[in-house]
C-alpha cells in the first residue's frame, strides 16, 4: 500500500471523526444565559477550535492505527466479512 493511500484513508477518517467530535462539551448560548443578538440560542457560547482539532487528530489516529493493523498487518479486509445473503449468480 502506498504512502499516499495511507494518508488518504487517514484524511477520510479524520473528517468523519471531526463531525463526531464537534458536539463534545459544547455549551449553547441559552445554557450560558448569554445570547448574542442576531444569533440563535443553540449557537455555541465558546467555540474551542484548537481543542476540537487536537481531539479529532488523536481519535482519528487511533482509529487509523486500528484499521492499519487489522487490514495491512493481519490481512483482514472486506472479503473477511462473512456473507449472510446467498449469491444469486
Amino acid at each position: 500500500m502506498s504512502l499516499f493511500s495511507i494518508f488518504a484513508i487517514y484524511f477520510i477518517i479524520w473528517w468523519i471523526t471531526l463531525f463526531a467530535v464537534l458536539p463534545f462539551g459544547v455549551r449553547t448560548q441559552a445554557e450560558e444565559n448569554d445570547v448574542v443578538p442576531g444569533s440563535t440560542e443553540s449557537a455555541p457560547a465558546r467555540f474551542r477550535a484548537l481543542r476540537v482539532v487536537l481531539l479529532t487528530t488523536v481519535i482519528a489516529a487511533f482509529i487509523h492505527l486500528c484499521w492499519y493493523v487489522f487490514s495491512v498487518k493481519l490481512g483482514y479486509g472486506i472479503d473477511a466479512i462473512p456473507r449472510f445473503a446467498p449469491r444469486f449468480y
Side-chain angles (χ1 to χ4, degrees):
M1 180 172 282
S2 70
L3 187 62
F4 180 75
S5 298
I6 292 172
F7 178 73
I9 292 171
Y10 176 76
F11 184 73
I12 292 168
I13 291 172
W14 192 91
W15 275 104
I16 293 170
T17 307
L18 173 68
F19 289 109
V21 168
L22 273 174
F24 290 178
V26 174
R27 293 195 42 92
T28 64
Q29 292 180 8
E31 292 173 339
E32 296 283 331
N33 292 327
D34 185 27
V35 179
V36 176
S39 66
T40 62
E41 294 178 349
S42 61
R46 283 172 297 212
F47 181 63
R48 298 179 180 131
L50 183 62
R51 181 177 153 252
V52 169
V53 168
L54 290 176
L55 188 59
T56 301
T57 303
V58 169
I59 293 172
F62 177 74
I63 294 170
H64 187 264
L65 177 68
C66 292
W67 168 82
Y68 184 79
V69 168
F70 280 108
S71 67
V72 176
K73 296 298 181 184
L74 297 177
Y76 293 111
I78 197 73
D79 295 331
I81 299 172
R83 290 186 57 104
F84 295 107
R87 294 183 185 198
F88 294 109
Y89 53 91

